[in-house]
Amino acid sequence: MSFLIPADTTSFIDGGFVATRAATTLPVINPADEQVVSLLHEADAAEVDRAVAAARRAFLEGPWPRMAPAARKEVFARIIDLVGRNLDELAWLETANTGQTLHYARQYQLPRILGSFRFYAEWLGQSTELATQDGEATLRYVLREPLGVVALISPSNAPTALASTKIAAALAFGNTCVVKTSEQTPLALARLMGLLTEAGVPPGVVNLVNGRGHVTGDALVRHPDVRGISFTGGTATARRIAAIAGEGLKRVDLELGGKSANIILPSADLERAVDASLLGIYTNNGQQCFAGSRIVLHRDIADAFIDRFVARAEQIRVGHPLEPSSDNGPLAFRASYERVQSYVDIARAEGCKLLAGGTRAPGFDRGYYFRPTAVLAPSNAARVCQEEIFGPFASLLVVDSLDEAVAVANDSRYGLVSYLWTGELAEAMSATRRIQAGNVLVNTPMLSLDPRLPFGGYKESGVGREGAQPSRHFYTEEKTVTVALTPPALPRLGA
């Protein structure tokens, strides 16, 4: 199975792809073989301005912000149908671009597009607003209006799935948007733009610009007509976005990185904890913000866990992402591969014990293939326990109590997710209250996100939350209307 990759990847503005006129082109590389598969034409400030102008025109003059919820639901239903019929193509493009296995893209990542649009299609018909009456004196109620033009920025590890979640929420509440993802992974998202238009999303409502963060991204977040920025990605980039947004008093929603602690206690089901811990750090090559990259082991079960975990990690099949037998493909791009490799050297220098991996996967002369890696760290102060590596790299620590495990979990500048494995209710209730993270999972890995509930992080893992209610507040303006039912008595100044 294969599909056509366009030779040129350009911006999508006002309902169509723009002509290739960019001064700067960037290679789009297949990480499986390092071949250039497309040329990305970088959007400069002028092209970003065209995209924002199209979105603003669609917001001020077009039908979408004024469309009845039932009509939006019909468009969403057509999006769901079209994406479902083209899911194989989207997954193939995502695999050719990110290196994640085709099975993972098709079965886990890309179905999130369908889930997001299904959820917000239902939400459109169920949300209500506040109203209150003060006796017979006044009636007060809330009008909710779309925010306006929003910038939606997704990362390279799940470019299309995460962008689609933002698009579905923004459109559900009547906004128009300009979307950007990593310059290294634009292919499937560009194809999604065409499907949205085919489904009936009016021109200008969803636009796509491509390019590097300091060029295209900077122009987008600085644009005065952009009223909100939803960003998923790295903390350093988020700081720059937040600073720029502050100057323009723009809203920001920032879902950032993590160094999630995965705590395993003696009362846990050890086999399930091993299974889930392998999934938590090695799924998608560890390129996940919620990866359980710090495995915190109670001393009583540490040796037994390590033996089983390492044996299983060594058996993970790293291969071509189109091969059905591959558990993991290559990392998404060269810089990611080199970063993971550098932390093997850092770990050795810090006195960590290499337990598994640490080298290029055998059998490949080209491509960014890296073996699942695990180290035993001497303390949580080690860089491999404090810094987000964003790859198939697990750092294991040994502690002597639940209190120490919680302290280790909280000893981080991040706080996105934490995992806890225990057979004791008292341990679970105690730890979940004390762990400083936006999401605490007990006896389960992160298998899916429930959009009915908020998702986001403490500390440097984010500002704001995603999910139905947080999105409702982020993507809309609230207007309180007061109507006098009985004319109030008024002092007559100057009478």
Side-chain angles (χ1 to χ4, degrees):
M1 177 179 63
S2 63
F3 297 90
L4 180 67
I5 297 176
D8 295 283
T9 301
T10 66
S11 298
F12 186 90
I13 299 174
D14 215 8
F17 289 100
V18 304
T20 56
R21 64 166 193 83
T24 301
T25 58
L26 305 168
V28 179
I29 296 172
N30 186 335
D33 56 17
E34 301 182 54
Q35 296 297 307
V36 176
V37 294
S38 184
L39 283 181
L40 181 141
H41 293 254
E42 185 169 63
D44 60 11
E47 193 160 291
V48 169
D49 183 65
R50 283 180 57 197
V52 175
R56 179 167 171 77
R57 190 162 54 248
F59 182 75
L60 294 177
E61 303 171 10
W64 190 259
R66 285 153 285 280
M67 193 177 286
R72 283 189 203 143
K73 286 181 68 174
E74 291 179 0
V75 176
F76 276 30
R78 292 195 294 271
I79 292 171
I80 293 163
D81 177 64
L82 270 174
V83 170
R85 288 193 276 121
N86 290 274
L87 206 57
D88 287 338
E89 179 186 7
L90 290 170
W92 189 87
L93 289 169
E94 198 83 329
T95 292
N97 210 178
T98 66
Q100 61 189 235
T101 64
L102 182 62
H103 172 78
Y104 179 72
R106 177 63 179 80
Q107 299 300 322
Y108 296 98
Q109 279 273 15
L110 276 300
R112 292 174 64 180
I113 304 173
L114 305 176
S116 294
F117 279 98
R118 282 196 189 107
F119 176 83
Y120 282 103
E122 292 302 316
W123 180 263
L124 281 170
Q126 297 180 19
S127 59
T128 59
E129 300 300 340
L130 294 172
T132 183
Q133 188 170 333
D134 184 12
E136 297 182 358
T138 58
L139 170 67
R140 292 183 174 91
Y141 59 91
V142 172
L143 286 178
R144 190 173 297 275
E145 299 173 348
L147 179 62
V149 178
V150 291
L152 310 177
I153 305 174
S154 69
S156 62
N157 62 316
T160 310
L162 291 177
S164 68
T165 300
K166 299 175 189 294
I167 293 168
L171 266 57
F173 298 111
N175 298 276
T176 61
C177 58
V178 180
V179 186
K180 181 195 174 302
T181 191
S182 167
E183 69 274 15
Q184 287 133 339
T185 55
L187 298 179
L189 185 55
R191 178 69 182 103
L192 180 63
M193 295 297 108
L195 295 176
L196 296 177
T197 299
E198 187 179 343
V201 175
V205 172
V206 181
N207 307 273
L208 172 71
V209 292
N210 294 303
R212 293 166 293 179
H214 70 278
V215 178
T216 309
D218 185 78
L220 179 58
V221 300
R222 287 184 187 279
H223 200 288
D225 290 332
V226 169
R227 296 311 311 146
I229 304 158
S230 178
F231 170 80
T232 300
T235 302
T237 302
R239 283 197 177 94
R240 293 194 291 272
I241 289 173
I244 294 168
E247 294 174 3
L249 295 178
K250 305 172 190 283
R251 292 186 190 177
V252 292
D253 176 63
L254 308 172
E255 196 267 283
L256 310 177
K259 194 67 181 177
S260 299
N262 180 18
I263 300 170
I264 297 147
L265 300 174
S267 60
D269 181 328
L270 197 60
E271 284 300 323
R272 288 186 61 80
V274 170
D275 289 342
S277 298
L278 290 160
L279 288 171
I281 182 55
Y282 297 131
T283 297
N284 198 17
N285 261 331
Q287 298 169 118
Q288 303 180 119
C289 56
F290 52 78
S293 54
R294 282 188 300 159
I295 302 178
V296 184
L297 304 168
H298 192 285
R299 193 173 303 278
D300 290 352
I301 50 87
D303 289 342
F305 179 94
I306 290 170
D307 288 345
R308 297 179 197 189
F309 181 89
V310 170
R312 294 271 300 280
E314 294 281 16
Q315 296 302 311
I316 292 173
R317 294 163 295 189
V318 180
H320 195 285
L322 295 179
E323 288 292 334
S325 61
S326 297
D327 295 316
N328 275 338
L331 290 157
F333 42 91
R334 179 178 293 278
S336 181
Y337 177 92
E338 292 174 347
R339 178 176 174 83
V340 174
Q341 179 64 72
S342 73
Y343 275 94
V344 176
D345 298 331
I346 290 169
R348 289 194 178 102
E350 292 186 317
C352 298
K353 179 182 179 181
L354 183 65
L355 301 172
T359 62
R360 181 181 183 84
F364 295 95
D365 295 327
R366 298 180 65 82
Y368 310 131
Y369 298 92
F370 204 85
R371 293 169 60 202
T373 298
V375 301
L376 181 62
S379 80
N380 192 52
R383 287 180 60 188
V384 294
C385 297
Q386 291 294 320
E387 298 174 8
E388 186 178 32
I389 300 172
F390 216 67
F393 195 116
S395 302
L396 282 67
L397 291 155
V398 178
V399 298
D400 290 301
S401 67
L402 173 59
D403 288 344
E404 187 181 356
V406 171
V408 166
N410 292 341
D411 181 20
S412 172
R413 66 177 184 267
Y414 298 107
L416 185 61
V417 177
S418 189
Y419 304 88
L420 175 69
W421 295 86
T422 174
E424 299 291 339
L425 178 62
E427 290 179 332
M429 299 306 292
S430 172
T432 55
R433 286 195 305 271
R434 293 186 286 155
I435 289 172
Q436 298 166 3
N439 306 266
V440 182
L441 291 89
V442 181
N443 294 336
T444 180
M446 180 77 78
L447 297 175
S448 63
L449 297 178
D450 187 339
R452 294 172 297 179
L453 303 175
F455 180 83
Y458 285 26
K459 297 183 279 190
E460 292 188 19
S461 285
V463 174
R465 295 290 187 271
E466 294 194 341
Q469 289 290 357
S471 293
R472 187 170 181 238
H473 289 292
F474 180 78
Y475 290 112
T476 63
E477 295 278 16
E478 293 172 297
K479 178 187 294 181
T480 299
V481 178
T482 302
V483 178
L485 302 178
T486 302
L490 301 176
R492 302 185 66 206
L493 297 179

